[in-house]
Amino acid sequence: MSREKSEKDVRNVPITVRLNEEEHEKLKQCAAACGLSAAEFMRQLCKGNAPQPQPKTEFWELLNKLYEVHDAFKKCVPYYPTAAEICKEIEDFILELQQKTTLPQQLNVEELTEQGRSDMAVTSLWHVKGSIKDLIDYIENPEKTVPNEDMQDFFDVFSYVKNPSKTNEGEYVSAINCLKETALQQMILTKKQYQKTGGYIAWHGYQSFKPDEVTPEQCHEIGLKLAREMWGDKYQIIVATHLDKGHLHNHFCFNSVSYLDGSKYNYSKSEQKRLREVSDRLCREYSLSVIENPKKAPARPLYLDEKSGKPTRYNVYREDLREAINGSRDLQHMMKYLTDKGYEIDFSGSHWKMKLPQYRHFTRLDTLDERLTPDFIRSCLGGASRYGNYKARISYSPHMPEQYKNAWKPHQKTTGILALYYYWCYQLGIFPKGTDYKPASPLMKEELRKLDEITAQVRYMSKHNISTLSDLHADREKNQTEMNKLIDYRQHLRNKVRRATPAEKETLRAEKQGVTEQITELRKRLKYADGIEKRSAHIDNCLDQIHDTIENQRLNQQKQPVKTDRRREESLR
């Protein structure tokens, strides 16, 4: 019997792929750009195929033109038989063209992601943290400078002056109130002139346009007009237009200190509004798309967390709200579902609201999604509850080791903080590695956003043999005492430097630098200690709230049993 299976013998095998939010969004964008579902897109990749983005309208219009040319040559065949050969060449060319354009080729994920977007003209501005020393180091040796994340974006814009491949060989890089070749040096001179070398060193912004709506010349022209009107009266500015993405966009980098009067730029709410209004007005003048009803942009740390796939508060709200709407046949059961999950709700008035207990203010549902009005929610109830209302579930990790099961007790202050942290990591699904368990409580879901901090704190306690609060207090006291001694000794070295000879000064400054590095390390340890003590109390509080929510849910079930979706219940067992 042949080992090869026929096509009928091959059965579909279901698989599960765990992605973070950013990866899932990129997968959807890539699939949409190719005109495929996410499942079909993944299936093609597994087969070794790399789907291509759908051709633009111009491609199909071009093919129609070729069809017309082909028909014209075909009509010439009775008069000129050689025209048949030309027709055959056109046919082969059309087939090859369509094959190259539509069939799987080498995959460019970045291109697919960009084509899956449909942004209007948008703007944003943020400050760049750093020091003037970072700027000087970058100018003197850019290859060996290792800047922070904010400064890396800032330096990238200046690197385009020397590396202009992204900007059409520098054609779309312009400077205002300085020379683009020496812009960074001139900014440093301005800072030194007014003795304002601290704080925010610069401001970095962008202006992005809808794909295929603006030419590079128009994009750069609009960017220059925007920069001149916003900051051109007193600040040194670089404007760079990027052509390397699916959508054209401008970058603005300008000095935080004015070259005219030394005043520092203040990005207030009124400035934010003015930036948006000027950009929208310029776009309308060029007949470009603008966002008519802009929403408040999230804070940059929150934006970065969402971008990296971490569960933010609003994302957790949306997920539980979606489950509540789909799994409830009427409003009463939807409210009960959210309450059993631990939420506080206010469904009075025309704007319904919800929040978790640890937050002071309610969040309006139409803030999470503008469609979530009372009428819309009522019309969508029960989308997946054919056999009854869903039951809100809050469960604990089934993988908890025996040694940690008693690490926490309800409404008792925990002193064994290392065991408490391990207990919390198991409840969050961090441990054990490879587990399929996911926390159902919204309190736990949101805590996963702090995964990096929690992991670093566990490592610190393990490294320094800290198991209890007493150990933590002793470690903090030891570090504080040592740091105070080093601070006094550093001051002593500073005093010696003032009276030392030039040769001695170099040795003393090197020693002072070493002491400063030790002080920096001790400050980090003290910060860890403070963070661990606060988080251990926070973990206690969260677990108490989850315990109380489960108890209230149990008591409510005893009073009034609720019909649930049997099929869903069986699938969860």
Side-chain angles (χ1 to χ4, degrees), residues 461-502:
M461 286 189 284
S462 300
K463 180 179 179 181
H464 297 279
N465 299 318
I466 298 172
S467 299
T468 65
L469 274 176
S470 299
D471 295 339
L472 184 69
H473 293 159
D475 178 76
R476 180 165 55 193
E477 185 176 351
K478 182 190 74 172
N479 290 330
Q480 185 68 57
T481 302
E482 187 177 349
M483 189 179 75
N484 291 341
K485 291 180 180 178
L486 288 172
I487 290 174
D488 291 341
Y489 182 61
R490 183 173 62 178
Q491 185 59 46
H492 172 69
L493 290 174
R494 284 174 177 165
N495 295 335
K496 289 183 70 175
V497 167
R498 295 191 188 101
R499 301 185 296 269
T501 63

Side-chain angles (χ1 to χ4, degrees), residues 30-36 41 44-45 49-55 96-108 111-112 115:
C30 291
C34 297
L36 303 173
F41 185 85
Q44 291 297 322
L45 292 178
N49 300 326
Q52 289 210 95
Q54 291 176 298
E96 185 178 355
L97 178 63
Q98 189 165 353
Q99 181 179 3
K100 292 283 187 182
T101 309
T102 59
L103 293 187
Q105 303 290 330
Q106 185 176 2
L107 182 63
N108 187 333
E111 179 185 345
L112 293 180
Q115 291 195 19

Side-chain angles (χ1 to χ4, degrees), residues 103-143:
L103 293 187
Q105 303 290 330
Q106 185 176 2
L107 182 63
N108 187 333
V109 174
E110 184 174 309
E111 179 185 345
L112 293 180
T113 304
E114 296 297 338
Q115 291 195 19
R117 294 176 181 160
S118 59
D119 295 333
M120 304 295 183
V122 294
T123 56
S124 183
L125 186 69
W126 60 91
H127 57 257
V128 179
K129 293 181 180 178
S131 68
I132 194 168
K133 182 178 180 297
D134 297 322
L135 299 181
I136 296 171
D137 289 345
Y138 176 78
I139 291 171
E140 293 178 349
N141 202 340
E143 288 78 16

Side-chain angles (χ1 to χ4, degrees), residues 186-386:
Q186 288 178 264
M187 291 183 185
I188 292 174
L189 290 174
T190 298
K191 292 178 182 298
K192 289 184 174 180
Q193 175 187 352
Y194 294 103
Q195 295 298 305
K196 292 186 177 180
T197 57
Y200 301 150
I201 63 170
W203 288 85
H204 183 189
Y206 74 88
Q207 180 187 35
S208 177
F209 298 90
K210 188 176 180 180
D212 303 321
E213 192 179 52
V214 63
T215 65
E217 294 80 8
Q218 288 176 328
C219 180
H220 193 64
E221 186 178 332
I222 294 170
L224 282 172
K225 288 183 177 180
L226 176 63
R228 285 196 178 99
E229 186 166 344
M230 285 297 303
W231 315 291
D233 58 335
K234 55 196 304 187
Y235 295 98
Q236 296 150 319
I237 315 164
I238 283 285
V239 181
T241 301
H242 286 195
L243 316 178
D244 60 322
K245 302 291 184 182
H247 63 286
L248 300 182
H249 56 284
N250 293 317
H251 279 267
F252 311 101
C253 285
F254 63 94
N255 200 350
S256 59
V257 180
S258 168
Y259 72 95
L260 281 180
D261 56 16
S263 60
K264 297 201 75 172
Y265 180 70
N266 177 31
Y267 187 48
S268 61
K269 289 185 178 180
S270 60
E271 278 289 281
Q272 183 182 31
K273 181 181 178 183
R274 189 166 76 93
L275 175 61
R276 185 171 61 244
E277 289 174 348
V278 173
S279 176
D280 289 351
R281 173 170 53 77
L282 290 171
C283 288
R284 290 189 179 98
E285 290 176 5
Y286 284 79
S287 301
L288 304 178
S289 303
V290 298
I291 300 175
E292 296 297 341
N293 298 303
K295 294 183 179 179
K296 181 181 178 182
R300 185 159 176 79
L302 179 61
Y303 164 76
L304 293 174
D305 281 349
E306 289 186 344
K307 185 178 178 182
S308 63
K310 295 180 181 178
T312 61
R313 186 199 335 175
Y314 281 8
N315 284 342
V316 173
Y317 282 7
R318 291 186 188 102
E319 181 182 350
D320 288 336
L321 192 59
R322 191 183 307 115
E323 290 179 1
I325 293 173
N326 290 335
S328 304
R329 289 185 163 186
D330 53 53
L331 189 60
Q332 177 185 357
H333 285 98
M334 175 187 167
M335 296 169 68
K336 175 173 173 44
Y337 185 95
L338 292 173
T339 303
D340 287 348
K341 276 278 189 176
Y343 288 99
E344 297 176 13
I345 58 174
D346 179 4
F347 281 11
S348 61
S350 58
H351 297 285
W352 292 355
K353 300 179 280 290
M354 63 188 291
K355 77 179 185 72
L356 288 172
Q358 70 265 34
Y359 295 112
R360 181 178 177 184
H361 299 292
F362 280 90
T363 298
R364 282 170 38 170
L365 304 191
D366 51 9
T367 299
L368 304 174
D369 189 325
E370 59 185 11
R371 298 173 299 173
L372 293 177
T373 61
D375 291 339
F376 179 82
I377 292 173
R378 288 191 181 97
S379 68
C380 294
L381 286 171
S385 57
R386 294 175 57 192

Side-chain angles (χ1 to χ4, degrees), residues 555-569:
L555 294 173
N556 290 335
Q557 286 175 357
Q558 291 176 353
K559 293 178 183 178
Q560 186 177 0
V562 180
K563 185 179 178 182
T564 59
D565 188 333
R566 294 177 184 174
R567 293 188 180 182
R568 184 171 184 268
E569 291 288 310

